[in-house]
């Protein structure tokens, strides 16, 4: 395995992995607070079991596809350089496992459990690492081609496109294959399902916000590459997203608590190279995008994306990849070293891989085994239908 790393590097990246692991609790509570009470247990179980399946899939298949590294060696080899490569796997696994966690929020309240676990295995084992290897490991020579012909490779420091856009566009494919929740559009309009618990929704958002500083700052992956610019830009994008979503969403708490997440999604790609004022603007645009596109997709396009993960992660992540090519330029206060057209092409490639891979996985599972709960199980709720227990002893709610 690779270069020499100090114990401090191992601890640094381990702390990053732990912070991002904690973000999965944020995904769980955000979904739990948004779905109806009869689906709260399912929200919690999905995130934990998805993470476990992701670990096995990434360990045995995905990490090798992305980086050409495997762990089928003796412990003396694995322990070299203080086991840095093992800790790096843990760190990058938490990124990979975020993709099915993103998908989970879009398909909530009507997806079967076992087929979703199968989808997680194939997404984390094959679809996600295919693009991860291109973007972060130079696979297939695309980054070299972009650098040679457009002046710079595709830049995505912490995964606006690699993680969030890919996860969001895969989620869209899953949502389209599943169809809307029964009764959600029965009247020709939209039957509202208000969040079951604003406190849990807010708790999920706060856990994600705190963990995100591990997600972004520790993407440096070693102490000698850490920069406070990433932390400041993450902070400013979070604030921009919050305030824009508060104003655009007219103080709606669902929008308020998703606004900072939109800003953080968008700043991942460029957090190491843009000016803090640019980060504030990138985050604000993302916050407004989420508010308006969530409303538009639900009401106009009748896409029943329960947590709005396509606008939040898919579209705001796409914006983040392109914004990196705009605000990373020296003329706009950035550090430079990026190409606008490389950002556009790299982002579009990520979207294409996600759409093709997501459609292939969910369409195949739909045809072979089915991916949707029966009418009776959906009416009963996933908690009782799948897990045989409700979230509270006094019933499962409406």
């Amino acid at each position: 395995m690779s270069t020499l790393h100090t114990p401090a590097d191992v601890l640094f990246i381990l702390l990053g992995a732990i912070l991002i692991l904690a973000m999965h609790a944020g995904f769980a509570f955000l979904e739990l607070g948004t779905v109806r009470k009869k689906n709260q247990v399912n929200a919690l179980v999905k995130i934990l079991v998805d993470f476990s399946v992701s670990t096995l899939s990434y360990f045995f298949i995905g990490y090798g596809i992305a980086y050409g590294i495997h762990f089928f060696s003796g412990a003396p080899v694995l322990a070299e350089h203080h086991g840095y490569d093992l800790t790096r796997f843990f760190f990058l696994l938490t990124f990979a496992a975020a993709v099915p966690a993103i998908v989970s929020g879009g398909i909530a309240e009507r997806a079967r459990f076992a087929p979703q676990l199968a989808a997680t295995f194939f997404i984390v084992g094959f679809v996600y690492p295919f693009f991860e290897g291109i973007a972060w490991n130079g696979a297939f020579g695309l980054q070299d081609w972009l650098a040679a012909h457009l002046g710079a490779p595709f830049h995505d420091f912490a995964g606006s496109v690699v993680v969030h856009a890919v996860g969001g566009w895969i989620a869209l494919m899953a949502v389209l294959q599943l169809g809307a929740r029964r009764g959600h559009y029965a009247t020709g309009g939209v039957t509202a399902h208000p969040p079951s618990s604003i406190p849990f929704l807010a708790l999920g958002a706060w856990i994600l916000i705190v963990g995100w500083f591990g997600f972004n700052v520790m993407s440096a992956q070693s102490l000698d590459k850490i920069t406070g610019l990433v932390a400041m830009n993450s902070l400013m994008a979070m604030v921009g997203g919050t305030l824009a979503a508060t104003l655009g969403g007219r103080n709606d708490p669902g929008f308020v608590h998703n606004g900072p997440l939109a800003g953080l999604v968008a700043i991942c790609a460029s957090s190491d190279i843009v000016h803090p004022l640019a980060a504030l603007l990138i985050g604000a645009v993302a916050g407004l995008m989420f508010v308006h596109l969530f409303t538009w997709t639900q009401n106009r396009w009748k896409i029943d994306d329960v947590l709005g993960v396509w606008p939040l992660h898919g579209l705001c992540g796409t914006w983040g990849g392109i914004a990196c090519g705009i605000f990373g330029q020296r003329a706009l206060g950035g550090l430079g070293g990026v190409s606008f057209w490389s950002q556009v092409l790299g982002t579009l490639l990520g979207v294409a891989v996600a759409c093709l891979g997501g459609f292939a996985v969910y369409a195949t599972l739909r045809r072979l085994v089915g991916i949707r709960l029966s009418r009776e199980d959906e009416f009963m709720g996933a908690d009782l239908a799948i897990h045989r227990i409700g979230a509270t002893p006094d019933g499962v709610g409406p």
Side-chain angles (χ1 to χ4, degrees), residues 227-238:
T227 168
L229 183 64
V230 177
M232 177 58 72
N233 284 338
S234 301
L235 176 66
M236 296 299 279
M238 181 202 82

Side-chain angles (χ1 to χ4, degrees), residues 247-269:
L247 293 173
R250 301 180 181 181
N251 304 323
D252 181 291
F255 288 135
V256 170
H257 287 96
N258 276 283
L261 309 184
L264 286 163
V265 164
I267 199 59
C268 287

Side-chain angles (χ1 to χ4, degrees), residues 54-319:
S54 296
T55 300
L56 296 182
S57 181
Y58 199 61
F59 181 88
F60 287 107
I61 303 171
Y63 196 65
I65 290 176
Y67 299 102
I69 295 173
H70 66 79
F71 299 109
F72 307 120
S73 303
V77 175
L78 299 180
E80 288 180 358
H81 313 311
H82 310 283
Y84 176 86
D85 290 281
L86 298 176
T87 315
R88 183 172 182 263
F89 162 80
F90 181 18
F91 180 77
L92 291 170
L93 161 69
T94 58
F95 281 67
V99 173
I102 290 167
V103 174
S104 176
I107 64 175
E109 302 201 305
R110 76 271 202 202
R112 292 178 60 205
F113 188 53
Q116 172 54 23
L117 296 181
T120 293
F121 184 87
F122 288 109
I123 288 167
V124 175
F126 298 97
V127 180
Y128 169 80
F130 175 76
F131 183 67
E132 179 188 18
I134 292 173
W136 286 345
N137 196 41
F140 304 110
L142 178 65
Q143 292 284 42
D144 292 337
W145 186 91
L146 291 173
H149 291 82
L150 298 176
F154 172 64
H155 185 89
D156 190 359
F157 180 71
S160 284
V161 180
V162 175
V163 178
H164 297 286
V166 166
W169 285 90
I170 289 175
L172 175 64
M173 298 299 103
V175 167
L176 293 177
Q177 288 294 314
L178 273 171
R181 288 167 288 179
R182 288 184 172 88
H184 194 53
Y185 298 114
T187 62
V190 181
T191 301
H193 299 299
S196 58
S197 173
I198 295 297
F200 277 139
L201 186 158
L203 175 63
W206 270 109
I207 294 172
L208 285 166
I209 289 167
V210 173
W212 223 296
F213 286 86
F215 196 97
N216 283 4
V217 175
M218 292 173 173
S219 285
Q221 299 189 32
S222 62
L223 275 172
D224 63 319
K225 296 177 183 177
I226 190 172
T227 168
L229 183 64
V230 177
M232 177 58 72
N233 284 338
S234 301
L235 176 66
M236 296 299 279
M238 181 202 82
V239 170
T242 302
L243 296 178
T246 302
L247 293 173
R250 301 180 181 181
N251 304 323
D252 181 291
F255 288 135
V256 170
H257 287 96
N258 276 283
L261 309 184
L264 286 163
V265 164
I267 199 59
C268 287
S270 59
S271 56
D272 62 326
I273 60 171
V274 301
H275 190 279
L277 292 178
L280 182 68
L281 179 59
I282 290 170
V285 170
L288 289 175
M289 282 178 61
F290 174 71
V291 170
H292 294 294
L293 290 171
F294 177 82
T295 303
W296 188 274
T297 55
Q298 292 284 330
N299 297 346
R300 298 292 184 89
W301 296 345
K302 292 183 168 50
I303 297 173
D304 188 12
D305 177 353
V306 180
L307 269 67
V309 297
W310 178 48
L312 179 64
H313 297 273
L315 297 178
C316 290
T318 301
W319 156 242

Side-chain angles (χ1 to χ4, degrees), residues 154-155 160-161 266 269-270 282 315-329 338-348 351:
F154 172 64
H155 185 89
S160 284
V161 180
S270 59
I282 290 170
L315 297 178
C316 290
T318 301
W319 156 242
I322 295 172
C324 179
I326 301 172
F327 296 101
Q329 306 292 338
V338 291
S339 160
F340 173 75
W341 289 111
S342 291
Q343 293 306 117
V344 171
L345 291 177
T347 300
L348 291 178
V351 171

